[in-house]
Amino acid sequence: MTDISSEKRTILPLLLESVSYAVDNLRLIKDFACEFQPDRRYVIIGPNGAGKSLLLKLCNGLIEPTEGQISWLGPSTSYDESVIRRRQAMVFQRPVMLRRSVAANIEYALKFQDIRPRDRREIIQAVLKRTGLRRRAEQPARILSGGEQQRLALARAWATSPEILFLDEPTANLDPAATHVVEDIIRAIHESGTTIVMTSHDLGQAKRTADEILFLHRGRLLEQAPTEQFFENPRNDLAQAFIRGELLWWTRKSKGARNHTPAPPK
């Protein structure tokens, strides 16, 4: 298994310029602008409904923005869409397991990378070992526990040596022990040369796993800062309330959306 850190980068950085996404004239992502650089770990936080998962889907190309531009600005300007697809991966909160063995799930992903069959076996064994699933290799993927299925989804993505990996709350439904294992795997993937862009509802996890924090609220990027700076001295008032544990929510009304925040403590 080849670490991408030893290969020439082709697609990063990823630039979002004034990106918006609307459904039925309701903008769910609003004027989003940021740049994802190589070799970084980004964690996107915010209340439910902030647009975190939508943002990942936009970056990954699963949906198209209704306004703005998403550009891959790597050193090569001659790559095509197929190269962009091969150099990125995404793991969902509830990953889809194919009706086949653990090893065959990984091999299925490798078929789309133009990797020779004889090389696939070595890669599969390497990622199974790194994710602690080697003894499960021939078992049906769908009988695995939730934590094991998430590890398999990470193994499947890791096998393709993505330059950037998008993770949508990968530990949301896991207990602390399984969360610890998944975080270790994500850390190892990053150390192999992959940029991580992850959403999380867990502030402790964000502190442990991020180099930079992006705080979203109602589809807007309200603050982006290095992790230590964000948690010690957030500039945005809603970010301050969020990390204090206060509830932020909003409702849709006929004349638009209203922001609701609790009164400050006495």
Side-chain angles (χ1 to χ4, degrees):
M1 183 174 166
T2 303
D3 289 345
I4 69 166
S5 55
S6 63
E7 301 176 3
K8 182 179 179 181
R9 296 191 177 279
T10 58
I11 64 172
L12 288 174
L14 171 61
L15 178 66
L16 284 74
E17 301 176 280
S18 301
V19 169
S20 295
Y21 180 75
V23 176
D24 296 331
N25 295 320
L26 177 66
R27 291 203 304 166
L28 303 176
I29 298 292
K30 305 169 186 176
D31 304 316
F32 196 98
C34 75
E35 186 170 315
F36 294 111
Q37 292 287 340
D39 302 319
R40 302 288 287 169
R41 297 172 299 170
Y42 300 90
V43 174
I44 303 165
I45 63 173
N48 288 339
K52 302 186 293 297
S53 297
L54 276 178
L55 179 63
L56 289 194
K57 291 177 182 178
L58 285 164
C59 291
N60 188 237
L62 294 176
I63 56 177
E64 296 291 330
T66 50
E67 298 177 56
Q69 184 78 22
I70 298 176
S71 307
W72 298 93
L73 303 177
S76 171
T77 59
S78 61
Y79 55 77
D80 58 24
E81 185 66 27
S82 65
V83 174
I84 294 174
R85 298 306 310 164
R86 288 198 302 268
R87 299 293 291 177
Q88 60 175 306
M90 183 164 175
V91 173
F92 295 93
Q93 183 177 344
R94 293 181 176 85
V96 176
M97 298 287 105
L98 303 176
R99 292 183 180 274
R100 56 193 72 189
S101 71
V102 168
N105 263 263
I106 300 171
E107 184 172 24
Y108 183 83
L110 292 174
K111 289 180 181 179
F112 296 96
Q113 299 292 320
D114 297 326
I115 297 172
R116 295 174 298 181
R118 69 186 183 198
D119 294 329
R120 293 175 197 165
R121 291 188 291 273
E122 179 182 349
I123 294 171
I124 290 169
Q125 289 303 310
V127 294
L128 287 176
K129 180 179 180 181
R130 291 185 177 192
T131 54
L133 293 172
R134 189 163 54 178
R135 294 183 179 179
R136 303 284 198 183
E138 301 307 319
Q139 294 184 357
R142 293 193 173 188
I143 72 168
L144 299 180
S145 68
E148 290 170 332
Q149 287 191 7
Q150 195 62 271
R151 283 153 58 191
L152 174 54
L154 289 168
R156 191 168 54 190
W158 197 1
T160 66
S161 294
E163 192 172 333
I164 184 168
L165 176 59
F166 301 102
L167 302 170
D168 190 9
E169 300 208 23
T171 62
N173 301 308
L174 304 183
D175 63 26
T179 295
H180 175 75
V181 172
V182 167
E183 287 184 5
D184 279 349
I185 293 171
I186 293 170
R187 189 174 298 108
I189 294 173
H190 171 68
E191 289 172 354
S192 74
T194 297
T195 294
I196 302 295
V197 180
M198 181 172 82
T199 65
S200 179
H201 67 283
D202 185 337
L203 296 183
Q205 181 175 77
K207 292 179 182 179
R208 292 190 298 271
T209 60
D211 298 312
E212 290 189 39
I213 299 293
L214 289 79
F215 174 70
L216 270 66
H217 183 58
R218 290 182 55 188
R220 294 189 185 277
L221 177 60
L222 298 186
E223 186 162 350
Q224 179 176 357
T227 302
E228 184 175 352
Q229 176 183 320
F230 177 84
F231 282 104
E232 289 188 357
N233 187 30
R235 299 184 304 273
N236 181 269
D237 58 345
L238 290 177
Q240 294 169 10
F242 185 72
I243 64 177
R244 287 197 300 265
E246 298 177 13
L247 297 177
L248 307 179
W249 74 94
W250 60 290
T251 59
R252 297 169 186 165
K253 296 186 180 290
S254 58
K255 294 184 180 180
R258 296 180 59 192
N259 188 40
H260 295 257
T261 58
K266 296 180 179 179

